Amino acid sequence: MEKEKNAKQSICPVAKKCGGCQFQGIPYEKQLEKKRQLVKQCVGDVRVLTPIGMAKPEHYRNKVHAAFGRDRKGNVICGVYESGTHRIVPVEGCMIEDERADAIIATIRGLLKSFRIKTYDEDSGYGLLRHVMVRTAHATGEILVVLVLASPILPAKNNFVKALRAAHPEITSIVLNVNDRHTSMVLGERNILLYGKGYIEDELCGNRYRISPNSFYQVNAVQTKVLYEKAMEYARLTGKETVIDAYCGIGTIGMTAAAHAKQVIGVELNPSAVRDAIANARRNECKNITFYNEDAGEYMRRLAAAPAGERVSVDVVFMDPPRSGSSEAFLEAVSLLAPKRVVYISCDPHTLGRDLDYMRKHGYRPIECQPVDMFPYTDDIENVVLLERTANRNESKRKSAAAESGNRGYQKELRKVRAAAGSRRPKASKPQSGKRAH
């Protein structure tokens, strides 16, 4: 009976080929328990709470991406890549994707023939349309369509846009993204506005955010609110703290924290995301947050190396790294900076467990882990973990390492000056590592 019940729940006809929904056919409560057990195996001696699931765990993805190509008969197809390959599995509709996005993608596929738009062939490099990405805003209903082309030239673009909008008047913006590289990356770096603002806006935790084609934004808006509320609970902000939001993206975590902290510093390497973050702060009149376009680890290392009188004391660090987790250099920078609390948001329990092991050895104790199911029907699970600084026995070691790091940077710069000056040896001045190049 149980097998029959599970079989009925596997409602996607391409589940096996797609490979995206690994938990198809498993009752939702059992999915959550499987995920809890996985997290427990990965994080070690940390209290793992019951995962927070969704009341309606379908059609939650607000970013939908479809690859375009042709089948053996020459018919246009669009869908997802088969797991581990670049073979396109045709998809008409997906149980975890926004239904409006799926309908728009189907319409675009139907328009290609009449507009004589060829799909791109990865082997020959011939053709134009590579992918379509649709982003939808949960709170505002705005929709952004991104046409990823191998060339900046879209034939009859005005008529194409007109036809697409006639079929879907709910679309608020259309962008042409140019990806002329022979790469597996979906988006290129250049965006050309075809209609609307070139971005959408969504609301989350009381703030309004601008989301551009290349910006990172959590794919499940309902659960993101749950996740951030838990992160704020762990941070225990009173309005007096200085907070760093590392890997800040478009500023969602940092701006949520800004309502409860004295000041927030957001650091992000992606320049497009930083531009959106700055615009978001202005839009929400958030005046106690500042964003820097640089590597977060290097930024924190520089803060830690600053002289005592110039150093900014950081109370809490939020970190939300990519699936690959944090680098050892980044984690070292966190331990050198020595905030009282670290709130680690992770989308991969395996890399989370690895990083927690490092933090344990460098003065931090993981207190509690709250899984949040951002990705129902998949084997992915988001987690938020509270880490607290332990005894001060590592304090002198951290200060020594920070000072040594700052001195190495100073000596490196000094060698450059001496090399440029030839035999002239300038007098050494005080180390400049404490001056923050913001």
Side-chain angles (χ1 to χ4, degrees), residues 14-96:
V14 297
K16 291 183 178 179
K17 287 186 177 181
C18 167
C21 293
Q22 302 87 352
F23 283 1
Q24 279 266 348
I26 301 176
Y28 189 51
E29 291 302 319
K30 288 193 175 182
Q31 294 181 35
L32 296 178
E33 179 56 27
K34 279 179 172 287
K35 294 183 181 188
R36 188 179 77 89
Q37 292 299 330
L38 171 63
V39 174
K40 286 183 67 175
Q41 292 171 11
C42 292
V43 301
D45 59 341
V46 183
R47 183 188 180 204
V48 178
L49 303 180
T50 301
I52 301 173
M54 298 187 71
K56 296 180 179 179
E58 294 87 24
H59 303 295
Y60 57 84
R61 285 193 64 92
N62 58 36
K63 182 172 78 168
V64 178
H65 155 245
F68 276 70
R70 292 182 180 271
D71 62 17
R72 293 178 180 178
K73 297 181 180 179
N75 299 313
V76 175
I77 58 173
C78 63
V80 298
Y81 289 123
E82 184 176 345
S83 181
T85 75
H86 261 222
R87 292 191 296 270
I88 297 175
V89 178
V91 176
E92 294 295 331
C94 175
M95 65 180 294
I96 67 172

Coordinates of all heavy atoms in Angstrom, one line a residue, residues 14-96:
V14 N 8.5 13.5 -16.2 CA 10.0 13.5 -16.6 C 10.9 13.5 -15.4 O 12.0 13.9 -15.5 CB 10.3 14.7 -17.5 CG1 9.5 14.7 -18.8 CG2 10.0 16.1 -16.8
A15 N 10.3 13.1 -14.2 CA 11.1 13.2 -13.0 C 12.4 12.4 -13.0 O 13.4 12.9 -12.6 CB 10.2 12.6 -11.8
K16 N 12.4 11.2 -13.6 CA 13.6 10.4 -13.7 C 14.7 11.0 -14.6 O 15.8 11.0 -14.3 CB 13.3 9.0 -14.1 CG 12.4 8.2 -13.0 CD 12.2 6.8 -13.5 CE 11.4 6.0 -12.4 NZ 11.1 4.6 -12.8
K17 N 14.2 11.5 -15.7 CA 15.2 12.1 -16.7 C 15.7 13.5 -16.2 O 16.9 13.8 -16.3 CB 14.5 12.3 -18.1 CG 14.3 11.0 -18.8 CD 13.8 11.3 -20.2 CE 13.6 10.0 -21.0 NZ 13.2 10.3 -22.4
C18 N 14.8 14.3 -15.6 CA 15.2 15.6 -15.2 C 16.2 15.5 -14.0 O 17.2 16.1 -13.9 CB 14.0 16.4 -14.8 SG 14.3 17.9 -13.8
G19 N 15.8 14.7 -13.0 CA 16.6 14.5 -11.8 C 16.6 15.7 -10.8 O 17.3 15.7 -9.8
G20 N 15.7 16.7 -11.1 CA 15.7 17.8 -10.2 C 15.0 17.6 -8.9 O 15.3 18.2 -7.9
C21 N 13.9 16.8 -9.0 CA 13.1 16.6 -7.8 C 13.4 15.1 -7.3 O 12.6 14.2 -7.6 CB 11.6 16.7 -8.1 SG 11.1 18.4 -8.5
Q22 N 14.4 15.0 -6.5 CA 14.9 13.7 -6.1 C 13.9 13.0 -5.1 O 13.9 11.8 -5.0 CB 16.3 13.8 -5.4 CG 17.3 14.4 -6.3 CD 17.4 15.9 -6.2 OE1 16.5 16.6 -5.6 NE2 18.4 16.5 -6.8
F23 N 13.0 13.8 -4.5 CA 12.1 13.3 -3.5 C 10.7 13.1 -4.0 O 9.7 13.1 -3.3 CB 12.1 14.2 -2.2 CG 13.3 14.0 -1.3 CD1 14.3 13.1 -1.7 CD2 13.4 14.7 -0.2 CE1 15.4 12.9 -0.8 CE2 14.5 14.5 0.7 CZ 15.5 13.6 0.3
Q24 N 10.6 13.1 -5.4 CA 9.3 12.8 -6.0 C 8.7 11.5 -5.4 O 9.5 10.5 -5.3 CB 9.4 12.7 -7.5 CG 9.4 14.0 -8.2 CD 8.1 14.4 -8.6 OE1 7.1 13.7 -8.7 NE2 8.0 15.7 -9.1
G25 N 7.4 11.4 -5.1 CA 6.8 10.2 -4.6 C 6.9 9.9 -3.1 O 6.4 8.9 -2.6
I26 N 7.6 10.8 -2.4 CA 7.8 10.7 -1.0 C 6.9 11.7 -0.3 O 6.9 12.9 -0.6 CB 9.2 10.9 -0.5 CG1 10.2 9.9 -1.2 CG2 9.4 10.8 1.0 CD1 11.6 10.1 -0.9
P27 N 6.0 11.2 0.7 CA 5.1 12.1 1.4 C 6.0 13.3 2.0 O 7.1 13.1 2.5 CB 4.5 11.2 2.4 CG 4.5 9.9 1.9 CD 5.8 9.8 1.1
Y28 N 5.4 14.5 2.0 CA 6.1 15.6 2.4 C 6.7 15.5 3.8 O 7.9 16.0 4.1 CB 5.3 16.9 2.3 CG 6.1 18.2 2.5 CD1 7.2 18.4 1.7 CD2 5.6 19.2 3.4 CE1 7.9 19.6 1.9 CE2 6.4 20.3 3.5 CZ 7.5 20.5 2.8 OH 8.2 21.7 2.9
E29 N 6.0 15.0 4.8 CA 6.5 14.9 6.1 C 7.7 14.0 6.2 O 8.7 14.2 6.9 CB 5.4 14.3 7.1 CG 4.3 15.3 7.3 CD 4.8 16.6 7.9 OE1 5.7 16.6 8.8 OE2 4.3 17.7 7.5
K30 N 7.7 12.9 5.3 CA 8.9 12.1 5.3 C 10.1 12.8 4.6 O 11.2 12.5 5.0 CB 8.6 10.8 4.6 CG 7.6 9.8 5.3 CD 7.6 8.5 4.7 CE 6.7 7.5 5.6 NZ 6.7 6.1 5.1
Q31 N 9.8 13.6 3.7 CA 10.9 14.4 3.1 C 11.6 15.3 4.1 O 12.8 15.3 4.2 CB 10.3 15.4 2.0 CG 9.7 14.7 0.8 CD 9.2 15.7 -0.2 OE1 9.8 16.8 -0.4 NE2 8.1 15.4 -0.9
L32 N 10.8 15.9 5.0 CA 11.4 16.8 6.0 C 12.2 15.9 7.0 O 13.3 16.4 7.4 CB 10.3 17.5 6.8 CG 9.4 18.5 5.9 CD1 8.4 19.1 6.8 CD2 10.3 19.6 5.3
E33 N 11.8 14.7 7.4 CA 12.5 13.9 8.3 C 13.8 13.4 7.6 O 14.9 13.4 8.3 CB 11.7 12.7 8.7 CG 12.4 11.8 9.7 CD 12.9 12.4 10.9 OE1 12.3 13.5 11.4 OE2 13.9 11.9 11.5
K34 N 13.8 13.1 6.4 CA 15.0 12.7 5.7 C 16.0 13.8 5.7 O 17.2 13.6 5.9 CB 14.7 12.3 4.2 CG 14.1 10.9 4.0 CD 13.8 10.6 2.6 CE 13.4 9.2 2.3 NZ 14.6 8.3 2.4
K35 N 15.5 15.0 5.5 CA 16.4 16.2 5.5 C 17.0 16.4 6.8 O 18.2 16.8 7.0 CB 15.7 17.4 4.9 CG 15.3 17.2 3.4 CD 14.6 18.5 2.9 CE 14.2 18.3 1.4 NZ 13.8 19.5 0.7
R36 N 16.2 16.3 7.9 CA 16.7 16.5 9.2 C 17.8 15.5 9.5 O 18.8 15.8 10.1 CB 15.6 16.3 10.2 CG 16.0 16.7 11.7 CD 14.8 16.6 12.6 NE 14.6 15.2 13.0 CZ 15.1 14.6 14.0 NH1 16.0 15.2 14.8 NH2 14.8 13.3 14.3
Q37 N 17.6 14.2 9.1 CA 18.6 13.2 9.4 C 19.9 13.5 8.6 O 21.0 13.3 9.2 CB 18.1 11.8 9.0 CG 17.0 11.3 9.9 CD 17.4 11.2 11.3 OE1 18.5 10.9 11.6 NE2 16.4 11.3 12.2
L38 N 19.8 14.0 7.4 CA 21.0 14.4 6.6 C 21.8 15.5 7.3 O 23.0 15.4 7.5 CB 20.6 14.9 5.2 CG 21.7 15.5 4.4 CD1 22.8 14.5 4.1 CD2 21.1 16.0 3.1
V39 N 21.1 16.5 7.8 CA 21.7 17.6 8.5 C 22.4 17.1 9.7 O 23.6 17.5 10.0 CB 20.7 18.7 8.8 CG1 21.3 19.8 9.6 CG2 20.1 19.3 7.5
K40 N 21.7 16.3 10.5 CA 22.3 15.8 11.7 C 23.6 15.0 11.5 O 24.6 15.1 12.2 CB 21.4 14.8 12.5 CG 20.2 15.5 13.1 CD 19.3 14.6 13.9 CE 20.0 13.9 15.1 NZ 19.1 13.1 15.8
Q41 N 23.7 14.3 10.4 CA 24.9 13.5 10.0 C 26.0 14.5 9.7 O 27.2 14.1 9.9 CB 24.6 12.6 8.8 CG 23.6 11.4 9.1 CD 23.2 10.7 7.9 OE1 23.8 10.9 6.8 NE2 22.2 9.8 8.0
C42 N 25.7 15.6 9.1 CA 26.7 16.5 8.6 C 27.3 17.5 9.6 O 28.5 17.8 9.6 CB 26.2 17.3 7.4 SG 25.8 16.3 5.9
V43 N 26.5 17.9 10.6 CA 26.9 19.0 11.5 C 27.5 18.5 12.8 O 27.9 19.4 13.6 CB 25.8 20.0 11.7 CG1 25.3 20.6 10.4 CG2 24.6 19.4 12.5
G44 N 27.4 17.3 13.1 CA 28.0 16.8 14.3 C 27.2 17.1 15.6 O 26.0 17.0 15.6
D45 N 27.9 17.5 16.6 CA 27.3 17.7 18.0 C 26.6 19.0 18.1 O 26.9 19.9 18.9 CB 28.3 17.5 19.1 CG 29.4 18.5 19.0 OD1 29.6 19.1 17.9 OD2 30.1 18.8 20.0
V46 N 25.7 19.3 17.2 CA 24.9 20.5 17.2 C 23.4 20.1 17.3 O 22.9 19.2 16.7 CB 25.1 21.3 15.9 CG1 24.3 22.7 16.0 CG2 26.6 21.6 15.7
R47 N 22.7 20.9 18.1 CA 21.3 20.6 18.2 C 20.6 21.0 16.9 O 20.6 22.1 16.5 CB 20.7 21.4 19.4 CG 19.2 21.2 19.6 CD 18.6 22.1 20.7 NE 17.2 21.9 20.9 CZ 16.4 22.8 21.3 NH1 16.8 24.0 21.6 NH2 15.1 22.5 21.5
V48 N 19.9 20.0 16.3 CA 19.3 20.2 15.0 C 17.8 20.2 15.3 O 17.2 19.1 15.7 CB 19.7 19.1 14.0 CG1 18.9 19.4 12.7 CG2 21.2 19.2 13.7
L49 N 17.1 21.3 15.0 CA 15.6 21.4 15.2 C 14.9 20.7 14.0 O 15.5 20.4 13.0 CB 15.2 22.8 15.3 CG 15.9 23.6 16.4 CD1 15.4 25.0 16.5 CD2 15.7 22.9 17.8
T50 N 13.6 20.5 14.2 CA 12.8 20.0 13.2 C 12.7 21.0 12.0 O 12.5 22.2 12.3 CB 11.4 19.7 13.7 OG1 11.4 18.7 14.8 CG2 10.5 19.1 12.6
P51 N 12.9 20.5 10.8 CA 12.8 21.5 9.6 C 11.5 22.2 9.6 O 10.4 21.6 9.8 CB 13.1 20.6 8.4 CG 13.8 19.4 8.9 CD 13.3 19.2 10.3
I52 N 11.5 23.5 9.2 CA 10.3 24.2 9.0 C 9.9 24.0 7.6 O 10.6 24.5 6.6 CB 10.5 25.7 9.3 CG1 11.0 25.9 10.8 CG2 9.2 26.5 9.1 CD1 11.4 27.3 11.1
G53 N 8.7 23.4 7.4 CA 8.3 23.1 6.0 C 7.2 24.1 5.5 O 7.0 25.1 6.2
M54 N 6.6 23.8 4.4 CA 5.7 24.7 3.7 C 4.3 24.1 3.8 O 4.1 22.9 3.7 CB 6.0 25.0 2.3 CG 7.3 25.6 2.0 SD 7.5 26.0 0.2 CE 6.4 27.4 0.1
A55 N 3.3 25.0 4.0 CA 1.9 24.5 4.0 C 1.5 24.1 2.6 O 0.8 23.1 2.4 CB 1.0 25.6 4.4
K56 N 2.0 24.8 1.5 CA 1.7 24.4 0.2 C 3.1 24.3 -0.6 O 3.6 25.3 -1.1 CB 0.8 25.5 -0.5 CG -0.6 25.5 0.1 CD -1.4 26.6 -0.6 CE -2.8 26.6 0.0 NZ -3.7 27.7 -0.7
P57 N 3.7 23.2 -0.6 CA 5.1 23.0 -1.1 C 5.1 22.8 -2.6 O 6.0 22.1 -3.1 CB 5.6 21.8 -0.4 CG 4.4 20.9 -0.2 CD 3.2 21.9 0.0
E58 N 4.3 23.5 -3.4 CA 4.3 23.4 -4.9 C 4.4 24.8 -5.5 O 4.0 25.8 -4.9 CB 3.1 22.7 -5.4 CG 2.9 21.2 -5.1 CD 2.2 21.0 -3.7 OE1 1.5 22.0 -3.3 OE2 2.4 20.0 -3.1
H59 N 5.0 24.8 -6.7 CA 5.1 26.1 -7.5 C 5.7 27.2 -6.7 O 5.2 28.4 -6.8 CB 3.7 26.4 -8.0 CG 3.0 25.4 -8.8 ND1 3.6 24.9 -10.0 CD2 1.9 24.6 -8.6 CE1 2.8 23.9 -10.5 NE2 1.8 23.7 -9.6
Y60 N 6.8 27.0 -6.0 CA 7.4 28.0 -5.2 C 8.6 28.7 -5.8 O 9.0 29.8 -5.4 CB 7.9 27.4 -3.9 CG 8.9 26.2 -4.0 CD1 10.2 26.4 -4.2 CD2 8.4 24.9 -4.0 CE1 11.1 25.4 -4.4 CE2 9.3 23.8 -4.2 CZ 10.6 24.1 -4.4 OH 11.5 23.1 -4.6
R61 N 9.1 28.1 -6.9 CA 10.3 28.7 -7.5 C 10.0 30.0 -8.2 O 9.2 30.0 -9.2 CB 11.0 27.8 -8.5 CG 11.8 26.6 -7.8 CD 12.6 25.9 -8.8 NE 13.7 26.8 -9.3 CZ 14.9 26.9 -8.8 NH1 15.2 26.2 -7.7 NH2 15.8 27.8 -9.3
N62 N 10.6 31.1 -7.8 CA 10.3 32.4 -8.5 C 11.3 32.7 -9.6 O 11.2 33.8 -10.2 CB 10.3 33.6 -7.4 CG 11.6 33.7 -6.6 OD1 12.7 33.4 -7.2 ND2 11.5 34.0 -5.4
K63 N 12.3 31.8 -9.8 CA 13.2 32.0 -10.9 C 13.2 30.7 -11.7 O 13.5 29.6 -11.2 CB 14.6 32.3 -10.4 CG 15.6 32.5 -11.6 CD 17.0 33.0 -11.2 CE 17.8 31.8 -10.6 NZ 19.2 32.3 -10.4
V64 N 12.7 30.8 -13.0 CA 12.6 29.6 -13.8 C 13.5 29.8 -15.0 O 13.4 30.8 -15.7 CB 11.1 29.4 -14.2 CG1 11.0 28.2 -15.2 CG2 10.2 29.2 -13.0
H65 N 14.3 28.8 -15.3 CA 15.2 28.8 -16.4 C 15.0 27.7 -17.3 O 14.8 26.5 -16.9 CB 16.7 28.7 -15.9 CG 17.6 28.2 -16.9 ND1 18.3 27.0 -16.7 CD2 18.1 28.7 -18.1 CE1 19.1 26.8 -17.7 NE2 18.9 27.8 -18.6
A66 N 14.9 28.0 -18.6 CA 14.6 26.9 -19.7 C 15.7 27.0 -20.7 O 16.0 28.1 -21.3 CB 13.3 27.1 -20.3
A67 N 16.3 25.9 -21.0 CA 17.3 25.8 -22.1 C 16.5 25.5 -23.4 O 15.5 24.8 -23.4 CB 18.3 24.7 -21.9
F68 N 16.9 26.1 -24.5 CA 16.3 25.9 -25.8 C 17.2 25.1 -26.8 O 18.4 25.3 -26.8 CB 15.9 27.2 -26.4 CG 14.6 27.8 -25.9 CD1 14.5 28.2 -24.6 CD2 13.4 27.8 -26.7 CE1 13.3 28.7 -24.1 CE2 12.2 28.3 -26.2 CZ 12.1 28.7 -24.9
G69 N 16.5 24.3 -27.6 CA 17.3 23.5 -28.6 C 16.3 22.9 -29.6 O 15.1 23.3 -29.7
R70 N 16.8 21.8 -30.3 CA 15.9 21.1 -31.2 C 16.0 19.6 -31.0 O 17.1 19.1 -30.6 CB 16.2 21.4 -32.6 CG 15.9 22.9 -33.0 CD 16.1 23.2 -34.4 NE 15.8 24.6 -34.7 CZ 14.6 25.0 -35.1 NH1 13.6 24.1 -35.3 NH2 14.3 26.3 -35.4
D71 N 14.9 18.8 -31.2 CA 15.0 17.4 -31.1 C 15.6 16.8 -32.4 O 15.9 17.6 -33.4 CB 13.7 16.8 -30.7 CG 12.6 17.1 -31.8 OD1 12.9 17.4 -32.9 OD2 11.4 16.9 -31.4
R72 N 15.6 15.5 -32.5 CA 16.2 14.9 -33.7 C 15.4 15.1 -35.0 O 15.9 15.1 -36.1 CB 16.2 13.4 -33.5 CG 17.2 13.0 -32.4 CD 17.2 11.5 -32.2 NE 18.2 11.1 -31.1 CZ 18.4 9.8 -30.7 NH1 17.7 8.9 -31.2 NH2 19.3 9.6 -29.8
K73 N 14.1 15.5 -34.8 CA 13.3 15.8 -36.0 C 13.3 17.3 -36.4 O 12.6 17.7 -37.3 CB 11.8 15.4 -35.7 CG 11.6 13.9 -35.5 CD 10.2 13.6 -35.2 CE 9.9 12.1 -35.0 NZ 8.5 11.8 -34.7
G74 N 14.1 18.1 -35.6 CA 14.2 19.5 -35.9 C 13.2 20.3 -35.2 O 13.1 21.6 -35.5
N75 N 12.4 19.8 -34.4 CA 11.4 20.5 -33.6 C 12.0 21.3 -32.5 O 12.9 20.8 -31.8 CB 10.3 19.6 -33.1 CG 9.5 18.9 -34.2 OD1 9.2 19.5 -35.2 ND2 9.4 17.6 -34.0
V76 N 11.5 22.5 -32.3 CA 12.0 23.3 -31.1 C 11.5 22.7 -29.8 O 10.3 22.4 -29.7 CB 11.5 24.8 -31.2 CG1 11.9 25.6 -30.0 CG2 12.0 25.5 -32.5
I77 N 12.5 22.6 -28.9 CA 12.1 22.1 -27.6 C 12.7 23.0 -26.5 O 13.7 23.7 -26.8 CB 12.7 20.6 -27.3 CG1 14.2 20.6 -27.5 CG2 11.9 19.6 -28.2 CD1 14.8 19.2 -27.2
C78 N 12.2 23.0 -25.4 CA 12.7 23.7 -24.2 C 12.4 23.0 -22.9 O 11.5 22.3 -22.8 CB 12.2 25.2 -24.2 SG 10.4 25.3 -23.9
G79 N 13.3 23.2 -22.0 CA 13.2 22.5 -20.7 C 14.5 22.6 -19.9 O 15.2 23.6 -19.9
V80 N 14.7 21.5 -19.2 CA 15.9 21.4 -18.3 C 16.9 20.4 -18.9 O 16.6 19.5 -19.7 CB 15.5 21.0 -16.9 CG1 14.6 22.1 -16.3 CG2 14.9 19.7 -16.9
Y81 N 18.2 20.6 -18.5 CA 19.2 19.6 -18.8 C 19.0 18.3 -18.0 O 18.8 18.4 -16.8 CB 20.6 20.2 -18.6 CG 21.0 21.3 -19.6 CD1 21.4 22.5 -19.1 CD2 20.9 21.1 -20.9 CE1 21.7 23.5 -20.0 CE2 21.3 22.1 -21.8 CZ 21.7 23.3 -21.3 OH 22.0 24.3 -22.2
E82 N 19.1 17.2 -18.7 CA 19.1 15.9 -18.0 C 20.2 15.9 -17.1 O 21.3 16.4 -17.3 CB 19.2 14.8 -19.0 CG 19.1 13.4 -18.4 CD 19.1 12.3 -19.5 OE1 18.8 12.6 -20.7 OE2 19.3 11.1 -19.1
S83 N 20.0 15.3 -15.9 CA 20.9 15.3 -14.8 C 22.3 14.8 -15.3 O 22.4 13.7 -15.9 CB 20.4 14.4 -13.7 OG 21.4 14.4 -12.6
G84 N 23.3 15.6 -15.1 CA 24.7 15.2 -15.5 C 25.0 15.3 -16.9 O 26.1 14.9 -17.4
T85 N 24.1 15.9 -17.8 CA 24.4 16.0 -19.2 C 24.0 17.4 -19.7 O 23.5 18.2 -18.9 CB 23.6 15.0 -20.0 OG1 22.2 15.4 -20.0 CG2 23.6 13.6 -19.4
H86 N 24.1 17.7 -21.0 CA 23.6 18.9 -21.6 C 22.5 18.5 -22.6 O 22.3 19.2 -23.6 CB 24.7 19.7 -22.2 CG 25.1 20.8 -21.4 ND1 25.4 22.1 -21.8 CD2 25.3 20.9 -20.0 CE1 25.8 22.9 -20.8 NE2 25.7 22.2 -19.7
R87 N 21.9 17.3 -22.4 CA 20.7 16.9 -23.2 C 19.5 17.6 -22.6 O 19.2 17.4 -21.4 CB 20.6 15.4 -23.3 CG 21.7 14.7 -24.1 CD 21.3 13.3 -24.3 NE 21.3 12.5 -23.0 CZ 22.3 11.9 -22.4 NH1 23.5 12.0 -23.0 NH2 22.1 11.3 -21.3
I88 N 18.7 18.2 -23.5 CA 17.5 18.9 -23.0 C 16.3 18.0 -22.8 O 16.0 17.2 -23.7 CB 17.1 20.1 -23.9 CG1 18.2 21.1 -24.0 CG2 15.8 20.7 -23.5 CD1 18.0 22.2 -25.0
V89 N 15.7 18.0 -21.6 CA 14.5 17.2 -21.4 C 13.3 18.2 -21.5 O 13.2 19.2 -20.8 CB 14.5 16.7 -19.9 CG1 13.2 15.9 -19.6 CG2 15.7 15.7 -19.7
P90 N 12.5 18.0 -22.5 CA 11.3 18.9 -22.7 C 10.4 18.9 -21.5 O 10.1 17.8 -21.0 CB 10.6 18.3 -24.0 CG 11.7 17.5 -24.7 CD 12.5 16.9 -23.6
V91 N 10.1 20.1 -21.1 CA 9.2 20.2 -19.9 C 8.0 21.2 -20.3 O 8.3 22.3 -20.7 CB 10.0 20.8 -18.7 CG1 9.0 21.1 -17.5 CG2 11.1 19.8 -18.3
E92 N 6.8 20.7 -20.1 CA 5.6 21.5 -20.4 C 5.2 22.3 -19.2 O 4.8 23.5 -19.2 CB 4.5 20.7 -20.9 CG 4.7 20.0 -22.2 CD 4.8 21.0 -23.3 OE1 4.2 22.1 -23.3 OE2 5.5 20.7 -24.3
G93 N 5.4 21.7 -18.0 CA 5.0 22.3 -16.7 C 5.7 21.6 -15.6 O 6.0 20.4 -15.7
C94 N 6.0 22.4 -14.6 CA 6.8 21.8 -13.5 C 6.1 22.1 -12.2 O 5.6 23.2 -11.9 CB 8.2 22.4 -13.4 SG 9.2 21.9 -12.0
M95 N 6.0 21.1 -11.3 CA 5.3 21.2 -10.0 C 5.9 22.1 -9.0 O 5.3 22.6 -8.1 CB 5.0 19.9 -9.4 CG 6.3 19.2 -8.9 SD 5.9 17.6 -8.2 CE 5.0 18.1 -6.7
I96 N 7.2 22.5 -9.2 CA 7.9 23.4 -8.3 C 8.1 24.8 -8.8 O 8.6 25.7 -8.1 CB 9.2 22.8 -7.7 CG1 10.2 22.7 -8.8 CG2 8.9 21.4 -7.1 CD1 11.6 22.3 -8.3

